[in-house]
Amino acid sequence: MPSAHDWINNPLGVVEVQNNSNPEWQKKVVDYFKDKLTEKEAQTWVPSLNDVPLHYLKPNSLVKFRCLIQDMFDPEFYMGVYEAVDPATKSKSLKCGKYKDVTECLQVEFNSRNSVTSERQTFYCVPIPGESSWVKECYARSSQAQVIPSTSYTPNRHKRSYDEDDDMDTQSQRPRDSNTGSQSSGDSQRNGDSKRQETEAPSNNTTTTQSCTSPLDLNYPLPEEQGPACLVKVYEDWESFKLNDTIEVFGILSVDPALGGVSEEKEPTSLLDPMESMETVEEQRAHSPPPSLVPRLHMVYALPLQHINPLLPSAVSEDKNAFVTSFLSELGSIRSEFLAYLTHILLGDALAAEYLLLHLVSNVYARRDVLPLGKFTLNLSGCALSATYTEHLYRIIQQLVPSSYRLPMSLHNMNSMRMVPRKDYVANRLVSGVLQLASNTSLFLDETQLEQGQLDASGVRNITALGNLISWQKVDYDFNYHQMEFPCNINVLVASEGRSLLPSDCQVHLKPQLAPPNLGEFLGAIQAAQAPSQMNRYRLYLSVTRRMDYSISEEVTKAVEEDFVEMRKDDPQSMSAEDLHRMLVVSRLLSLSFGQTTLSTDVWMKTKHLEMLRMSRIQQQKSVNGHEP
Amino acid sequence: MAAEVVDDQAMREAQRDYLDFLDDDQDQGIYQSKVRDMISENKFRLIVNINDLRRRNEARAARLMNNAFEELLAFQRALKDLVASVDATYAKQHEEFFVGLEGSFGSKHVTPRTLTSRLLGSMVCVEGILTKCSLVRPKVVRSVHYCPTTKKTIERKYTDMTSLDAFPSSAIYPTKDEENNPLETEFGLSIYKDHQTVTVQEMPEKAPAGQLPRSVDIILDNDLVDMVKPGDRVQIIGTYRCLPGKHGGFTSGTFRTIMIASQVKQLSKEAAPYFSADDVLKIKSFSKSRSKNVFDQLARSLAPSIHGHDYIKKAILCMLLGGVEKVLENGSRLRGDINVLLIGDPSVAKSQLLRYVLHTAPRAIPTTGRGSSGVGLTAAVTTDQETGERVLEAGAMVLADRGVVCIDEFDKMSDMDRTAIHEVMEQGRVTIAKAGIHARLNARCSVLAAANPVYGRYDQYKTPMENIGLQDSLLSRFDLLFIMLDTMDAEQDRVISEHVLRMHRYRDPKEQDGGVMPFGGAVDVLATEDPDIAQEELEEMQIYEKHNNLLHGKRRRDRIVSKEFMKKYIHVAKAITPVLTTEAASHIAEEYSRLRSQEQMGSDIARTSPVTARSLETLIRLSTAHAKCRMSKLVELEDTEVAVELVQFAYFKKVLEKEKKRSRAEGHDTATEDEEEEDEDEEETPRPPRKRGRRSEERRPSQGSEPYDPYDFTTEGQVPQIHSPAPRPAEEPMETPPEKGQTEVSPDRLKAFKAALLEVFRVTHAQSVGMNSMLEGIAKSPAGPFTPGEVRASLSRMQDDNQVMVTDDIIFLI
């Protein structure tokens, strides 16, 4: 029987054992890992590709990866069971090809009647775009994985690792003794190790040369993204996964250098090779990149992630409900503290802070026909206080939400950036764009960066795409011959000087009460004043309130209805169905922000009050600028 | 060895079976003649319908489907034998003859997504969009080499994994013979074949929501190359097989799968939804159901998330159904597409309506007036950056040929586009004469446009024309123009608020947080059969959305038709081409003249768009669309009534008078649009005070039950069809004597009544007669006394036909 940690270090051994003992082994293997992983804390033992550099990880060991499905390749057929021929003894034996990339022997009997062809699906996965550093740190800290750096590890490799400072921390935390828990793994593992040592050097060379000549485009949605991309091979119900899903994959790592598609020693291709014309070089590069850069992961279990906030207990733990209820009790105080914090950041503007809070809580919870419900795009106008204010603002938001991205809407960016993902038929892959983001990502559009000038065709397309994203929460992916709509759930915050050129659900004009001489220092000081534990409370607050359920009772519905009719009577111009729609969204978010799951008349009155304040401020602003309404 | 002998025998047997099948002289001789045709046309591919084979030899057909390689090889050999027997020299000219299949493939009719490993080695039919084409390359089939030293020629044949022969030949191209003498290749004698690889991708509408479309690589050989180009929707029939993947020195354990095509078919651009027998039945019964008004119900179900705007929804439904296109002998075309323009205040759900149409119409292209790129709405000639070639690039309207183009922010369109759109909207084509390219592209699309008023908000005190700010020539091309205003009315507001609140309160019980509802992903019924049977049952088409009190309100009557059903219904209904009945035609003519005369009405009602001869066509188109909706082959009176109602609503809009006159406005200033509409009815025609509702009630029961004289009104019946621009005076029906009047729907009694009435008029020598004296008069008539009910009915009937007019119990003869 495999020992406690064996299933992490040598999962293939486990597979083998199950395979031999039971005819229904496929299901048993999946169940086995599922059982193991749902054990308390078991998930934290598994090393994560997100925070451990690839060269620290043992090939063929179980690893986890928190990622976004960026692309889905065509299904692939592999030899589920095949007959191997030992060249020395000519003896034949049946081998299992599941969870492996490469056959284990040199000769394979192709025409054997015993071989079984099976199907698997490959997903190209990237780390969650725009994931905040605090999320990464927090996950890394909670990891209890014992990672043994391979013996060939040399410090100069460090250049390649993706987050350097973090690296040092994790390394120091990890126990160095390489013998614990891996005693029983036996021969196979040592073989793996030695093999790895042999293959390490050349593969490393190729990547370095490649990175200096033509860096392989790893197809991250966001330009400055880093981290490992991964080819995840899925064996069971791949239909349940969708593009842009965030998942945590538990799988067997495979980094066999032979997988690198663009082989150096291209053998003299025969005249009649049917494959030759089928696969372009670009396609090969995209579909079989060097494994040292893009490792393969054979999925044994995947956990769809509802959120990526590490502070919230994971879905499997049973004390989640207890946690939430205890948290709800202190929700009120957190809210007021949080509001005060936001007010400081918005230079004393309490109204804008209130709306910013609502925006941060918003979430598309349903769709009716084409209309997404629950989205709350905020346009914060009057942000051009100083050149760097928006940047500071973004940094603060970044500290609060699990994933975010700031898009400076400069003319150059708008004209040159690729926002909408596009299918590249030559390489047969989906070329990512900035708008390929995970659910609940905060997108910070900085319109103060926009200068006068000419938008070209792609600029117009980009603006249209942003507009569609805001209005319908959908992105039309470009498939050249047609477009395909992919729904998304992205919180868009537009910071602008005047009214934004993009549509928005709600516009608030910033009215600073304070005018600190040095804005940067001032904001820095506010941020420094918040203890990390306090920040964590804010983060938790946002994640919890966003996920709460909400309803409107019959009585309140009636009251709201009456109210609307009344308001229309007084002033039909400023109250349309759309206004009602927005007010209902505001009241929903307001209720949730107080931790209430139903709409109360109090909140409704407060909503009306807020909206009134906001409208009057917009009116003021208009008259100041001399625009007629 | 033994196995091979068996194989050989089986092969020969198969070959004999196929030869039997092809050599069908005794039967009907279909394939015999097909083979002869093939020879005379100098082709070498025979298309065989698998259904024919199935009928003749079921076991063989099943084997052909499942074990495609060997069977197809046998089939082709059989074909060659047959060709040799018919024309021996022709058989020698060609190395191989091919068999292409068509017919029903059942479970083997797949999309790239459902092409699973189960189907390896079988004959499959794959549908999708062609996304990638390689160049056409020659591939050597047989090479001939000459050795100068030994004076010998060597011949060599090549086969690889893509050919039907099971074993690939050695792939080495000989350059030396056994004694190492150099060889010269005789290129002239060697045989090559064309070879191309293409990639077919799943059609976007068939990919499940949230999944990327899949693709499959396909090899096209010989005569199949270059038959399709990227972007085409194709159906490719061929064998599915896998090739072992060998990378360098190791075996990856994975396979590459390809399809080897034996027949390529282009599909029409139109993506036809799949209909099951059950669907058709449901559609039929829905259209027949007398209990409800099909048209109203469908219109109501359009964009259920938008409240109200009933007329606009009706118009959009008409637009989706379309009229009937006519191409006249002189080549000019009368469009059948219905164009709709929505003008209105910001925030009245215009864009949302557009968005909805995008999802319901089978082919809809969204664009905006200002956002469209250099190509614009119509077409543009651009220069390819790499080659410098001139390329014709199609704009939104060309792409939407036979569909709907949704133009948002129509008012922000550039002048260039605006002029270009003129031709497209009426003629349905784009003519380009630029940069040496002369082209005429079809752009037969309906236009649904949304625009904001000139002043940002609709100014009640200005005429609609001033508010719209588009030139007449463009406006007249829109069949219907709606002004969507943000009006105020407590009752209306209540309904709106109820509607919005319902939407916010509703949550789908099955839906998870932030989950996305499947949208627009038509289920391919062919595809659902094996992966999830349970799901298929769920997906069985529902006519109605599941009623949910929270979502749809409490009124059971307002059942919402599901979008899936709506799509299918429209698809079916669209195919009908109803013809105008004379009755409907005369009604249209009459209403048209009324519209024209209404122009002079002045007062406080103004037209939104000019009433031109195009309006006449509009009436015809709208009535046709309504008839389609009823699935009727005839355009009847009830259709024209709806059309007239729509036009009436869309063409006129009240203008508020300036303050000083306002006191005299008889309290109309706060009227909502619906009320106005009724006001119009009353004001527009003071002479015959008739109520539309009453009239239709009277007429409907007598629909089609009475014979009518088809010769009587032939001229009138044809007038609208040949599009006479001359306005027709409303009084025309008077010229025909009342005795011969429009008796088509009235009983014989009406005829008798008319005769009696005429007699009364003749006796009194007057143009008008009091009700009482009339009653006395007709009582003396030979037809006997008329009951008061009969009299009333007959009078109103005649009144509708503009033969008499009744006011204050006085009957006027017109």
Side-chain angles (χ1 to χ4, degrees):
Chain A
M1 247 347 255
S3 78
H5 286 243
D6 217 22
W7 57 275
I8 294 177
N9 291 320
N10 185 20
L12 283 174
V14 175
V15 173
E16 207 90 334
V17 167
Q18 299 278 357
N19 184 4
N20 292 343
S21 56
N22 199 311
E24 275 193 327
W25 65 278
Q26 307 227 4
K27 198 175 168 316
K28 290 223 34 187
V29 168
V30 177
D31 287 347
Y32 175 83
F33 283 107
K34 217 176 190 165
D35 283 355
K36 284 281 177 198
L37 285 168
T38 43
E39 268 172 42
K40 210 168 190 295
E41 297 218 310
Q43 292 186 5
T44 58
W45 298 336
V46 181
S48 166
L49 259 180
N50 295 88
D51 41 54
V52 182
L54 182 58
H55 52 270
Y56 280 170
L57 294 167
K58 261 198 305 288
N60 297 332
S61 68
L62 192 72
V63 294
K64 65 180 176 186
F65 186 40
R66 193 172 64 254
C67 58
L68 170 104
I69 302 176
Q70 192 270 325
D71 195 0
M72 293 164 148
F73 294 157
D74 288 329
E76 170 177 84
F77 294 118
Y78 69 101
M79 289 180 284
V81 178
Y82 58 92
E83 206 165 52
V85 187
D86 193 327
T89 59
K90 295 276 175 215
S91 66
K92 292 180 178 179
S93 59
L94 284 183
K95 299 257 182 167
C96 161
K98 204 177 176 184
Y99 305 123
K100 284 173 210 162
D101 279 312
V102 185
T103 53
E104 279 166 335
C105 52
L106 287 172
Q107 279 194 344
V108 173
E109 181 66 43
F110 280 109
N111 297 323
S112 162
R113 287 187 190 281
N114 291 321
S115 47
V116 178
T117 309
S118 312
E119 196 176 352
R120 68 185 172 204
Q121 168 91 48
T122 310
F123 294 154
Y124 188 83
C125 294
V126 293
I128 290 161
E131 198 176 53
S132 306
S133 54
W134 64 268
V135 175
K136 289 195 174 108
E137 276 163 32
C138 199
Y139 270 117
R141 221 175 298 128
S142 66
S143 164
Q144 295 170 22
Q146 298 166 346
V147 181
I148 312 107
S150 67
T151 44
S152 61
Y153 167 73
T154 42
N156 67 352
R157 281 259 198 79
H158 223 81
K159 280 179 194 155
R160 250 186 354 108
S161 65
Y162 41 87
D163 42 26
E164 286 168 53
D165 32 25
D166 191 41
D167 221 354
M168 294 312 287
D169 298 347
T170 48
Q171 203 188 331
S172 56
Q173 282 169 12
R174 265 166 228 134
R176 275 259 174 184
D177 53 338
S178 54
N179 282 336
T180 45
S182 57
Q183 285 288 28
S184 54
S185 51
D187 284 2
S188 62
Q189 194 213 320
R190 214 168 296 145
N191 283 347
D193 262 356
S194 57
K195 194 180 173 190
R196 174 114 181 96
Q197 278 167 36
E198 286 164 15
T199 56
E200 198 87 284
S203 74
N204 198 28
N205 283 343
T206 53
T207 52
T208 44
T209 51
Q210 224 158 24
S211 58
C212 43
T213 52
S214 64
L216 195 72
D217 179 15
L218 287 181
N219 215 359
Y220 296 124
L222 303 178
E224 57 261 32
E225 196 76 7
Q226 280 176 321
C230 211
L231 280 171
V232 176
K233 310 267 181 187
V234 188
Y235 291 84
E236 274 90 22
D237 49 60
W238 48 77
E239 298 292 338
S240 65
F241 297 99
K242 289 192 174 126
L243 196 75
N244 302 343
D245 273 359
T246 44
I247 51 171
E248 185 154 50
V249 182
F250 292 87
I252 299 164
L253 182 72
S254 160
V255 284
D256 200 306
L259 290 166
V262 202
S263 47
E264 302 297 311
E265 4 85 70
K266 192 129 188 163
E267 58 177 60
T269 44
S270 61
L271 182 74
L272 295 163
D273 186 3
M275 316 285 281
E276 202 188 2
S277 55
M278 308 271 304
E279 215 170 30
T280 56
V281 183
E282 289 90 344
E283 194 173 346
Q284 278 203 359
R285 272 174 76 99
H287 285 248
S288 27
S292 52
L293 217 58
V294 182
R296 314 296 194 263
L297 209 55
H298 296 267
M299 181 195 285
V300 289
Y301 178 65
L303 194 66
L305 294 177
Q306 298 282 328
H307 62 89
I308 54 162
N309 191 340
L311 302 165
L312 211 61
S314 62
V316 284
S317 65
E318 57 279 353
D319 51 18
K320 189 189 174 190
N321 287 334
F323 173 84
V324 170
T325 41
S326 75
F327 187 79
L328 281 179
S329 62
E330 49 178 336
L331 204 75
S333 64
I334 298 178
R335 186 186 195 274
S336 49
E337 285 164 34
F338 187 40
L339 193 63
Y341 175 57
L342 288 180
T343 313
H344 277 301
I345 284 159
L346 295 173
L347 306 174
D349 187 345
L351 184 70
E354 190 85 49
Y355 273 100
L356 182 59
L357 190 148
L358 297 184
H359 164 75
L360 290 174
V361 172
S362 70
N363 175 36
V364 177
Y365 65 93
R367 281 169 200 270
R368 283 282 294 140
D369 298 347
V370 292
L371 195 72
L373 294 177
K375 61 149 184 139
F376 192 66
T377 304
L378 185 66
N379 175 14
L380 202 60
S381 57
C383 280
L385 298 172
S386 83
T388 51
Y389 180 66
T390 49
E391 215 175 314
H392 287 297
L393 193 61
Y394 168 66
R395 288 234 188 86
I396 288 156
I397 290 173
Q398 198 179 20
Q399 284 299 309
L400 292 169
V401 296
S403 59
S404 59
Y405 179 64
R406 171 171 175 255
L407 180 66
M409 285 175 65
S410 65
L411 212 51
H412 173 76
N413 269 348
M414 289 328 274
N415 281 337
S416 63
M417 242 179 169
R418 198 180 53 227
M419 297 228 179
V420 175
R422 173 179 60 85
K423 178 86 178 183
D424 176 0
Y425 285 112
V426 179
N428 195 12
R429 68 168 181 178
L430 189 71
V431 180
S432 192
V434 173
L435 296 186
Q436 191 174 20
L437 296 173
S439 293
N440 287 332
T441 304
S442 285
L443 182 63
F444 188 92
L445 298 177
D446 192 348
E447 209 184 279
T448 58
Q449 308 279 320
L450 192 62
E451 61 267 39
Q452 287 194 350
Q454 184 77 43
L455 275 182
D456 61 17
S458 73
V460 172
R461 262 200 298 278
N462 281 341
I463 295 276
T464 318
L466 283 177
N468 277 343
L469 170 73
I470 292 170
S471 312
W472 311 109
Q473 289 287 338
K474 277 181 183 176
V475 181
D476 290 319
Y477 287 21
D478 181 7
F479 278 79
N480 198 357
Y481 305 104
H482 58 91
Q483 296 194 322
M484 249 177 120
E485 240 172 29
F486 282 87
C488 56
N489 183 2
I490 298 171
N491 292 11
V492 188
L493 177 63
V494 189
S496 60
E497 194 174 345
R499 207 178 112 88
S500 167
L501 67 101
L502 295 166
S504 63
D505 293 320
C506 159
Q507 184 206 349
V508 180
H509 194 83
L510 193 62
K511 246 187 169 177
Q513 308 291 320
L514 316 160
N518 190 336
L519 208 60
E521 250 171 50
F522 174 76
L523 291 171
I526 295 174
Q527 241 179 309
Q530 299 290 326
S533 64
Q534 193 64 16
M535 287 305 279
N536 279 352
R537 267 155 56 98
Y538 297 160
R539 290 161 186 166
L540 257 179
Y541 169 78
L542 288 179
S543 295
V544 168
T545 46
R546 176 180 279 179
R547 310 219 65 79
M548 278 195 310
D549 229 8
Y550 176 75
S551 64
I552 305 174
S553 68
E554 203 69 44
E555 303 90 74
V556 180
T557 310
K558 278 274 172 304
V560 169
E561 236 176 86
E562 291 299 323
D563 224 19
F564 176 69
V565 174
E566 272 313 300
M567 282 189 282
R568 288 278 295 180
K569 242 182 221 157
D570 296 345
D571 187 4
Q573 282 300 310
S574 61
M575 196 68 205
S576 64
E578 197 148 302
D579 292 310
L580 177 66
H581 180 81
R582 188 184 53 241
M583 283 175 74
L584 283 169
V585 174
V586 172
S587 63
R588 170 194 156 87
L589 296 173
L590 206 57
S591 305
L592 291 181
S593 77
F594 283 113
Q596 298 168 1
T597 51
T598 55
L599 179 61
S600 64
T601 27
D602 278 2
V603 172
W604 177 248
M605 293 325 272
K606 199 165 162 23
T607 305
K608 274 171 67 180
H609 182 65
L610 272 181
E611 281 287 282
M612 208 187 68
L613 283 179
R614 188 177 71 85
M615 291 315 259
S616 68
R617 190 182 279 194
I618 290 173
Q619 294 294 335
Q620 261 176 35
Q621 196 55 35
K622 270 183 185 160
S623 53
V624 165
N625 292 347
H627 291 305
E628 275 304 304
Chain B
M1 252 2 263
E4 219 154 274
V5 173
V6 173
D7 275 359
D8 247 16
Q9 257 176 10
M11 187 73 163
R12 240 171 289 148
E13 193 186 323
Q15 203 171 326
R16 203 167 47 242
D17 273 356
Y18 287 122
L19 194 59
D20 259 6
F21 166 72
L22 288 174
D23 204 359
D24 52 358
D25 253 349
Q26 288 84 14
D27 196 16
Q28 286 166 323
I30 304 171
Y31 284 96
Q32 273 279 0
S33 65
K34 272 197 181 178
V35 168
R36 276 177 224 282
D37 285 352
M38 181 181 83
I39 294 170
S40 64
E41 283 167 28
N42 204 11
K43 285 183 178 159
F44 42 91
R45 187 175 296 271
L46 179 76
I47 306 298
V48 173
N49 193 326
I50 189 83
N51 299 350
D52 292 339
L53 180 63
R54 208 173 277 138
R55 205 161 41 239
R56 291 276 296 277
N57 189 341
E58 203 178 328
R60 192 44 71 189
R63 245 178 277 173
L64 177 62
M65 297 292 272
N66 293 321
N67 187 10
F69 292 99
E70 282 147 42
E71 296 289 319
L72 201 60
L73 190 64
F75 209 158
Q76 296 190 351
R77 282 189 192 159
L79 176 63
K80 187 161 186 178
D81 287 353
L82 183 68
V83 173
S85 73
V86 174
D87 186 341
T89 49
Y90 190 75
K92 282 203 186 95
Q93 276 171 26
H94 293 278
E95 188 85 3
E96 269 182 293
F97 288 90
F98 300 97
V99 172
L101 292 175
E102 60 180 18
S104 0
F105 283 80
S107 66
K108 294 192 168 54
H109 190 115
V110 292
T111 67
R113 182 173 298 274
T114 49
L115 196 61
T116 55
S117 55
R118 183 176 57 85
L119 294 170
L120 279 174
S122 4
M123 185 66 74
V124 290
C125 172
V126 172
E127 270 181 26
I129 292 184
L130 201 70
T131 56
K132 196 166 76 178
C133 275
S134 76
L135 292 175
V136 177
R137 292 213 179 82
K139 191 165 169 179
V140 66
V141 178
R142 194 176 66 197
S143 65
V144 179
H145 307 274
Y146 173 71
C147 177
T149 38
T150 56
K151 301 266 189 293
K152 274 184 190 157
T153 51
I154 308 171
E155 214 180 276
R156 192 168 276 207
K157 271 182 137 184
Y158 301 89
T159 52
D160 64 11
M161 292 300 285
T162 67
S163 54
L164 296 174
D165 296 308
F167 301 104
S169 68
S170 140
I172 314 234
Y173 196 72
T175 47
K176 287 175 179 151
D177 69 359
E178 296 92 58
E179 284 104 46
N180 260 346
N181 297 315
L183 292 175
E184 283 170 12
T185 308
E186 295 287 346
F187 288 103
L189 295 173
S190 304
I191 296 176
Y192 298 87
K193 68 175 175 183
D194 290 329
H195 176 81
Q196 185 183 27
T197 46
V198 297
T199 307
V200 167
Q201 187 191 274
E202 193 173 8
M203 288 189 220
E205 62 272 11
K206 286 191 178 156
Q211 303 264 359
L212 282 178
R214 300 253 179 89
S215 57
V216 60
D217 290 325
I218 294 175
I219 290 182
L220 304 177
D221 281 329
N222 301 304
D223 55 334
L224 295 178
V225 300
D226 243 6
M227 275 175 70
V228 280
K229 56 186 183 307
D232 284 350
R233 282 168 186 259
V234 291
Q235 198 173 53
I236 295 184
I237 293 138
T239 44
Y240 189 45
R241 77 190 306 182
C242 63
L243 312 172
K246 260 203 159 176
H247 285 285
F250 75 100
T251 314
S252 67
T254 56
F255 301 105
R256 223 194 136 81
T257 51
I258 51 160
M259 215 177 111
I260 299 150
S262 64
Q263 152 90 316
V264 176
K265 263 176 133 174
Q266 271 208 43
L267 293 178
S268 67
K269 284 179 180 177
E270 196 95 4
Y274 176 82
F275 291 97
S276 70
D278 193 36
D279 292 350
V280 177
L281 211 69
K282 274 183 188 162
I283 287 168
K284 249 190 188 152
S285 69
F286 184 80
S287 71
K288 290 275 149 52
S289 54
R290 282 260 159 259
S291 59
K292 57 192 179 265
N293 188 333
V294 177
F295 185 73
D296 283 353
Q297 184 148 25
L298 283 177
R300 221 183 9 249
S301 311
L302 272 171
S305 64
I306 302 163
H307 172 79
H309 299 305
D310 291 342
Y311 279 102
I312 296 171
K313 287 185 182 177
K314 279 181 189 172
I316 287 176
L317 180 59
C318 282
M319 187 191 75
L320 289 173
L321 290 163
V324 176
E325 183 184 9
K326 284 194 193 67
V327 180
L328 301 183
E329 279 168 30
N330 61 8
S332 69
R333 162 183 174 273
L334 292 181
R335 73 181 150 96
D337 317 300
I338 294 169
N339 301 324
V340 178
L341 176 63
L342 310 174
I343 289 204
D345 294 342
S347 88
V348 282
K350 293 190 298 289
S351 307
Q352 222 172 312
L353 275 170
L354 256 60
R355 196 84 184 173
Y356 187 88
V357 170
L358 281 182
H359 279 104
T360 319
R363 168 175 281 252
I365 307 280
T367 180
T368 61
R370 68 174 161 191
S372 44
S373 56
V375 183
L377 288 166
T378 51
V381 179
T382 52
T383 312
D384 192 315
Q385 288 186 343
E386 281 162 35
T387 59
E389 272 176 42
R390 299 246 193 279
V391 187
L392 196 59
E393 225 178 303
M397 295 187 87
V398 177
L399 290 176
D401 188 28
R402 293 280 181 229
V404 181
V405 60
C406 299
I407 310 175
D408 209 347
E409 304 186 59
F410 192 68
D411 47 326
K412 316 246 179 352
M413 199 163 50
S414 72
D415 283 341
M416 219 181 69
D417 269 337
R418 217 174 279 179
T419 35
I421 212 172
H422 273 126
E423 184 198 7
V424 187
M425 282 183 68
E426 204 53 47
Q427 290 305 316
R429 61 164 181 257
V430 180
T431 324
I432 285 237
K434 218 193 232 172
I437 293 182
H438 286 263
R440 191 175 275 184
L441 303 171
N442 274 330
R444 296 155 296 189
C445 55
S446 307
V447 178
L448 176 63
N452 285 327
V454 178
Y455 312 103
R457 259 187 182 277
Y458 191 86
D459 188 343
Q460 298 270 27
Y461 301 107
K462 294 220 162 61
T463 62
M465 298 293 230
E466 282 173 303
N467 269 305
I468 295 162
L470 295 170
Q471 64 267 55
D472 273 13
S473 55
L474 191 55
L475 283 185
S476 73
R477 283 169 163 83
F478 281 101
D479 293 290
L480 294 169
L481 192 149
F482 290 101
I483 295 170
M484 297 169 82
L485 284 191
D486 197 10
T487 49
M488 209 213 60
D489 166 42
E491 201 37 53
Q492 191 76 0
D493 292 346
R494 197 178 305 274
V495 182
I496 290 176
S497 72
E498 196 190 311
H499 187 82
V500 173
L501 273 159
R502 259 207 314 269
M503 217 160 66
H504 276 264
R505 291 178 63 191
Y506 171 74
R507 291 206 72 163
D508 193 336
K510 284 175 296 185
E511 197 179 330
Q512 52 163 287
D513 271 3
V516 168
M517 295 203 290
F519 198 83
V523 211
D524 184 354
V525 180
L526 289 166
T528 48
E529 54 175 10
D530 70 321
D532 28 30
I533 295 156
Q535 199 185 332
E536 193 191 18
E537 277 163 19
L538 275 179
E539 303 286 6
E540 194 198 336
M541 192 179 59
Q542 298 290 327
I543 295 186
Y544 299 105
E545 299 252 339
K546 293 223 173 58
H547 191 81
N548 183 313
N549 271 346
L550 206 49
L551 184 59
H552 298 127
K554 306 235 159 31
R555 280 165 300 171
R556 186 76 195 163
R557 185 172 66 82
D558 290 353
R559 289 221 286 175
I560 301 294
V561 175
S562 77
K563 181 145 56 192
E564 206 47 48
F565 180 77
M566 175 106 70
K567 270 188 183 172
K568 291 189 176 180
Y569 192 91
I570 287 174
H571 190 87
V572 172
K574 222 182 150 136
I576 300 170
T577 50
V579 249
L580 275 176
T581 56
T582 47
E583 185 199 18
S586 62
H587 185 234
I588 286 175
E590 186 188 318
E591 289 294 339
Y592 170 67
S593 58
R594 241 160 35 83
L595 277 178
R596 291 282 287 193
S597 59
Q598 222 165 307
E599 275 194 70
Q600 282 90 46
M601 294 304 292
S603 80
D604 56 350
I605 296 167
R607 289 171 302 123
T608 54
S609 56
V611 178
T612 62
R614 286 207 175 96
S615 319
L616 192 57
E617 289 179 50
T618 296
L619 283 170
I620 299 171
R621 271 193 288 272
L622 289 174
S623 353
T624 314
H626 187 263
K628 279 182 176 181
C629 185
R630 294 188 301 122
M631 300 240 174
S632 157
K633 289 206 169 60
L634 293 176
V635 181
E636 288 174 88
L637 205 61
E638 60 171 304
D639 304 317
T640 59
E641 274 162 9
V642 173
V644 168
E645 199 179 328
L646 265 173
V647 168
Q648 280 283 4
F649 178 79
Y651 270 33
F652 297 96
K653 173 83 193 101
K654 210 163 68 131
V655 187
L656 293 191
E657 311 214 353
K658 287 285 178 202
E659 306 297 350
K660 50 176 180 157
K661 288 185 187 171
R662 204 168 172 180
S663 50
R664 290 194 283 125
E666 295 166 78
H668 281 307
D669 45 0
T670 52
T672 65
E673 273 197 56
D674 291 78
E675 282 171 344
E676 276 166 39
E677 213 269 326
E678 277 164 33
D679 292 348
E680 282 165 21
D681 278 6
E682 282 156 23
E683 287 165 34
E684 71 206 6
T685 45
R687 286 177 307 148
R690 50 198 185 184
K691 268 282 193 186
R692 200 164 288 135
R694 193 186 73 213
R695 185 180 54 186
S696 48
E697 266 166 41
E698 278 166 13
R699 284 202 181 178
R700 212 155 278 155
S702 56
Q703 196 63 251
S705 53
E706 269 73 40
Y708 61 93
D709 189 354
Y711 302 104
D712 229 17
F713 287 90
T714 35
T715 43
E716 270 204 45
Q718 240 123 65
V719 166
Q721 283 178 5
I722 51 168
H723 163 137
S724 124
R728 174 170 293 272
E731 285 76 19
E732 196 169 82
M734 187 197 70
E735 286 157 26
T736 52
E739 286 91 346
K740 287 175 71 188
Q742 292 170 312
T743 56
E744 71 279 3
V745 286
S746 59
D748 289 342
R749 293 290 282 174
L750 178 60
K751 211 166 187 175
F753 176 80
K754 278 183 181 170
L757 187 63
L758 202 74
E759 184 64 24
V760 173
F761 275 117
R762 209 175 51 77
V763 169
T764 53
H765 294 287
Q767 285 296 306
S768 60
V769 134
M771 181 64 93
N772 289 336
S773 53
M774 189 271 291
L775 285 175
E776 285 167 23
I778 56 170
K780 292 175 214 148
S781 78
F786 293 87
T787 65
E790 269 178 339
V791 172
R792 227 175 301 124
S794 308
L795 278 178
S796 73
R797 171 95 253 153
M798 290 177 74
Q799 194 173 316
D800 286 349
D801 297 342
N802 269 355
Q803 289 157 343
V804 293
M805 196 176 95
V806 185
T807 14
D808 298 327
D809 279 358
I810 299 170
I811 299 143
F812 296 92
L813 181 65
I814 302 175

